[in-house]
Amino acid sequence: MAVETPASSDQVSITFQPMGVTVDVRRGETLFEAAADVGVDVDTICGGNGVCGKCKVRVGEPHLVPAKPIDHVHLAAVEVARGYRLSCQIKAADDLVVDVPAGGRRSIKILHHGLQRDVPLRPNALKIHLPYLPPRQRDGVADWDAVKDTLPGFFRRVEVPLPWLRQLPAAIRNHGGMTLTVVGRRRVTRIELGDTTLPSCGIAIDIGSTSVVAYLVDLDTGTELAVASDLNTQAIYGDDVIGRLSKAQFDPVGLKRLHDLIIAQLNDVVGEVLSLSNLARSAVTDVTVVGNMAMHHFLLQLDSTYLGLSPFAPVTRDAVTVTAAELALDLEPDTPVYVLPNIAGFVGSDTVGLMLASGMADSDEIQMAVDVGTNGEVVLGSAGRLVACSAPAGPAFEGARIKHGMRATTGAIDHVTMNRDVSFS
Ligand code: FES
């Protein structure tokens, strides 16, 4: 085995241990990129730019891969002597077996539970069961007029997209009646045979730079049915948004790659909450998403080029509603996905969610809310006026760009008790 030597074929085989994962990669691809290709968890903060020093792996005998000056900058002398190298600096030139140290990103703890306050339930999506209407009672009235006549007054102007209108004749003649799903009191998004009003669930998704969390909520009771979370897989292109914005800006397929990664991950967490609660995807009538401006653009595959350049102009700050089909989410195709509005380039819709969830947007008293994430936001104010700002919190709380800093993963101190002695776990 060797690296960076002339070779006869365009492909080389890399095996990652202890996972036992082997991947064939293009000669010249870095070990860091090869790991990302197959989802092997190599630690990183800088996304492979040789800045953070977190991506060390052990590559066989030390003499097989000569250490570079940058290895000596980031790694201890004893590590270099034992064969540890920065994986983002090694271009594979021959078949290789690589040991990946424990304690990578996958062992990070994600906090997704907290205090809750009571909120009035006003779901945007409503399921309405209409009993069977015998044709005699309808007396030649158009099918849709007959349906509207049975709906509460504020639904009378609801619209039915053509695909559902086509299904209406059969549904209205079903002896078990039918169930309409109406979103925003304006639009029918589903017609089902029989009474399917229960369960009616919503999924709230928080796309953070570091983690992605999905909450499945019963829209009739407000009960949280299941939670699923994972680390944002886009982090292979950098822990902070700057690295990912660079990827989207300079790599012709970068934006598509970032978009595909987050969609695949959303499908994973959505599938997990449904599986945990033993519900079918048809139970979901509504989805809401928050995230910072970069996550928002990657999700919607909006050109993020100017988000990374002064004066950091986004494509839009407005709320966006799309369908699950438009985002290729594995839900019923017409399920609405509501992406909350953003505030400014570096104060995203997660902060809007914070304002709404905390109640400070309706408060008569001045309150302060703090969201500690890779980017930290602070909001101050009351119902009359709210002011928000942000600053990078990753260096302080996640060890980003700090030589001896680290995240909440294996080896980190997560509790300290101070009595007569100091103890920690
Ligand atoms: Fe290699 Fe940061 S130094 S990923």
Side-chain angles (χ1 to χ4, degrees):
M1 291 185 297
V3 292
E4 298 186 17
T5 57
S8 54
S9 130
D10 283 346
Q11 294 273 303
V12 293
S13 177
I14 309 295
T15 298
F16 294 98
Q17 300 288 18
M19 305 84 181
V21 174
T22 299
V23 57
D24 290 335
V25 297
R26 177 180 45 81
R27 192 178 301 276
E29 190 165 311
T30 68
L31 298 189
F32 181 82
E33 291 168 327
D37 286 347
V38 286
V40 166
D41 182 19
V42 171
D43 202 1
T44 179
I45 287 175
C46 71
N49 289 318
V51 174
C52 68
K54 303 287 185 185
C55 65
K56 66 183 178 187
V57 296
R58 189 167 176 274
V59 192
E61 294 301 316
H63 68 273
L64 291 176
V65 184
K68 296 179 177 176
I70 195 170
D71 291 312
H72 292 286
V73 170
H74 290 293
L75 303 176
V78 65
E79 291 180 309
V80 174
R82 288 169 57 195
Y84 284 98
R85 305 286 184 265
L86 298 181
S87 61
C88 68
Q89 302 300 309
I90 301 174
K91 293 181 178 174
D94 211 338
D95 295 350
L96 217 51
V97 177
V98 177
D99 289 325
V100 179
R105 297 178 49 77
R106 295 287 149 199
S107 55
I108 288 176
K109 290 184 180 179
I110 300 173
L111 180 66
H112 48 58
H113 287 290
L115 299 175
Q116 296 190 354
R117 68 184 186 93
D118 289 335
V119 292
L121 287 176
R122 292 196 303 267
N124 191 41
L126 288 175
K127 279 188 163 187
I128 305 159
H129 177 242
L130 301 178
Y132 174 59
L133 301 171
R136 280 194 310 282
Q137 290 183 20
R138 294 193 274 115
D139 194 22
V141 173
D143 289 349
W144 181 237
D145 286 338
V147 169
K148 283 194 291 187
D149 286 345
T150 62
L151 291 173
F154 45 78
F155 283 117
R156 296 285 162 76
R157 302 183 66 175
V158 72
E159 295 173 0
V160 200
L162 184 58
W164 295 115
L165 207 50
R166 288 178 176 147
Q167 300 198 22
L168 187 61
I172 202 171
R173 288 165 180 82
N174 178 50
H175 284 249
M178 62 176 171
T179 301
L180 297 181
T181 301
V182 181
V183 171
R185 298 185 178 183
R186 285 187 293 116
R187 185 176 171 89
V188 171
T189 57
R190 206 179 300 171
I191 296 177
E192 296 165 293
L193 300 183
D195 183 353
T196 65
T197 47
L198 294 177
S200 177
C201 299
I203 298 181
I205 296 172
D206 181 3
I207 305 176
S209 308
T210 303
S211 57
V212 175
V213 186
Y215 303 83
L216 181 70
V217 178
D218 184 322
L219 295 178
D220 284 314
T221 63
T223 308
E224 185 181 291
L225 301 175
V227 183
S229 62
D230 198 0
L231 292 163
N232 190 324
T233 51
Q234 294 173 339
I236 56 175
Y237 299 119
D239 262 26
D240 55 24
V241 296
I242 301 300
R244 293 179 222 176
L245 288 171
S246 299
K247 175 76 179 172
Q249 184 180 354
F250 297 114
D251 182 339
V253 295
L255 177 60
K256 172 89 168 64
R257 178 87 178 116
L258 288 159
H259 171 76
D260 290 348
L261 280 170
I262 193 60
I263 295 299
Q265 188 155 39
L266 293 191
N267 279 325
D268 283 348
V269 289
V270 165
E272 189 176 340
V273 288
L274 290 173
S275 155
L276 286 170
S277 50
N278 218 9
L279 290 173
R281 64 182 193 172
S282 59
V284 178
T285 55
D286 204 5
V287 177
T288 58
V289 181
V290 296
N292 63 47
M293 192 71 90
M295 299 304 112
H296 167 276
H297 278 43
F298 298 152
L299 173 71
L300 299 174
Q301 211 175 336
L302 298 175
D303 185 352
S304 57
T305 304
Y306 305 100
L307 207 50
L309 299 171
S310 178
F312 313 112
V315 175
T316 178
R317 296 188 307 137
D318 294 350
V320 176
T321 302
V322 293
T323 63
E326 286 175 296
L327 285 183
L329 290 180
D330 194 13
L331 291 165
E332 293 296 327
D334 276 353
T335 306
V337 180
Y338 177 70
V339 184
L340 270 68
N342 289 284
I343 298 172
F346 288 96
V347 188
S349 58
D350 46 348
T351 304
V352 177
L354 171 69
M355 292 174 185
L356 294 171
S358 64
M360 66 189 304
D362 299 316
S363 169
D364 293 331
E365 297 178 348
I366 292 181
Q367 299 182 347
M368 177 183 280
V370 181
D371 178 5
V372 180
T374 305
N375 219 36
E377 287 91 20
V378 177
V379 187
L380 179 70
S382 62
R385 183 179 181 225
L386 290 161
V387 179
C389 62
S390 76
F397 296 105
E398 298 173 358
R401 319 266 169 177
I402 296 176
K403 184 171 183 182
H404 296 293
M406 68 182 300
R407 302 188 201 89
T409 182
T410 308
I413 294 172
D414 62 357
H415 285 84
V416 176
T417 307
M418 297 171 73
N419 296 318
R420 293 178 67 182
D421 293 322
V422 178
S423 57
F424 60 87
S425 66

